[in-house]
Amino acid sequence: MHLYGSYTSPFVRHCRIALLQYQAKFKLIETDYQQSAAGSAAMRVPYFEHQDIKLHDSMSIIRFIRELHGHRMCETTAEYDLLLLVNTAIDSTINLFLLEKSGVDIAANSYTQRQSQRIQQCLEHFESAAEQLKWNDAGIRLACYLDWVQYRQRLDLRQYPALIAWLEQAQQYPEFADTAPPAA
Ligand SMILES: N[C@@H](CCC(=O)N[C@@H](CS)C(=O)NCC(=O)O)C(=O)O
């Protein structure tokens, strides 16, 4: 199994965690923008190859890994919905991060302001739902996201004590601790 990605991406990290949970043999191939543009129609990481299978999104990759080991990706519709909401928050946060890096003034544009508002509302939702979190795909993805925002210093999580507690709980899982982004 070949997983194409980076050691910092929260999407790639979730795939690595799923693979480590099953002690699956895989190779992470570090992939930059130029390589992902050539290797995936989505021009993003992760993408994945195994025998004649090629997958272009962390959602299909994780589903494939779980099913390969006789499990489902999400046990309930509620878990799936939470997972998608975390994806929404990650997408907006990464978009703002990349726009800012490319010189866009994200505070001056009404659409980027809406993205910032979306992120805040998602975080408030996660905070209010934190008591129900489990170490399943929704909970894992949330932990990957929270650790990434801290790593990139994108958001101040101090106003979300339940999310900080969830992140601390996640650190207890070896597959989460072992996939932490490298020191900047
Ligand atoms: N929906 C995709 C999102 C992947 C994604 O946004 N990856 C980021 C890295 S964390 C990326 O490669 N961005 C490059 C770009 O947008 O050009 C997934 O779940 O795999």
Side-chain angles (χ1 to χ4, degrees):
M1 289 188 212
H2 286 167
L3 177 67
Y4 295 82
S6 68
Y7 285 99
T8 52
S9 162
F11 299 106
V12 177
R13 186 177 186 181
H14 189 172
C15 298
R16 292 164 64 209
I17 289 172
L19 286 159
L20 290 174
Q21 284 178 320
Y22 301 113
Q23 290 154 9
K25 278 205 174 126
F26 71 99
K27 193 170 173 193
L28 179 83
I29 296 160
E30 280 197 89
T31 304
D32 62 20
Y33 277 7
Q34 214 183 343
Q35 290 160 330
S36 65
S40 167
M43 302 172 68
R44 296 192 296 205
V45 294
Y47 56 97
F48 176 89
E49 288 169 356
H50 178 57
Q51 296 168 354
D52 57 346
I53 294 165
K54 175 141 184 185
L55 302 172
H56 302 87
D57 196 284
S58 65
M59 294 288 280
S60 52
I61 298 168
I62 288 159
R63 181 174 162 159
F64 174 79
I65 296 163
R66 297 264 178 249
E67 288 180 357
L68 192 66
H69 295 89
H71 293 130
R72 289 179 64 189
M73 181 178 183
C74 286
E75 290 293 333
T76 64
T77 305
E79 185 197 345
Y80 185 57
D81 186 64
L82 180 60
L83 174 56
L84 294 180
L85 197 59
V86 179
N87 283 351
T88 298
I90 308 180
D91 284 339
S92 290
T93 313
I94 289 183
N95 280 344
L96 292 184
F97 172 63
L98 295 178
L99 284 168
E100 211 168 61
K101 255 176 77 172
S102 64
V104 172
D105 180 359
I106 59 169
N109 175 286
S110 63
Y111 184 65
T112 48
Q113 284 166 8
R114 186 174 167 81
Q115 303 251 37
S116 297
Q117 198 186 345
R118 175 177 292 127
I119 295 164
Q120 291 309 326
Q121 294 205 178
C122 284
L123 286 169
E124 281 159 28
H125 177 90
F126 302 147
E127 175 76 10
S128 67
E131 269 187 22
Q132 284 115 57
L133 289 171
K134 295 188 185 134
W135 194 240
N136 54 21
D137 282 311
I140 292 171
R141 184 152 298 218
L142 179 59
C144 292
Y145 171 54
L146 297 172
D147 214 20
W148 182 84
V149 297
Q150 304 239 86
Y151 174 72
R152 292 291 188 200
Q153 301 178 338
R154 293 304 299 174
L155 303 166
D156 183 357
L157 294 180
R158 277 176 300 184
Q159 54 188 305
Y160 304 106
L163 297 184
I164 292 178
W166 178 247
L167 193 48
E168 283 169 2
Q169 213 176 309
Q171 310 287 0
Q172 309 307 313
Y173 291 89
E175 62 274 14
F176 188 76
D178 291 349
T179 54

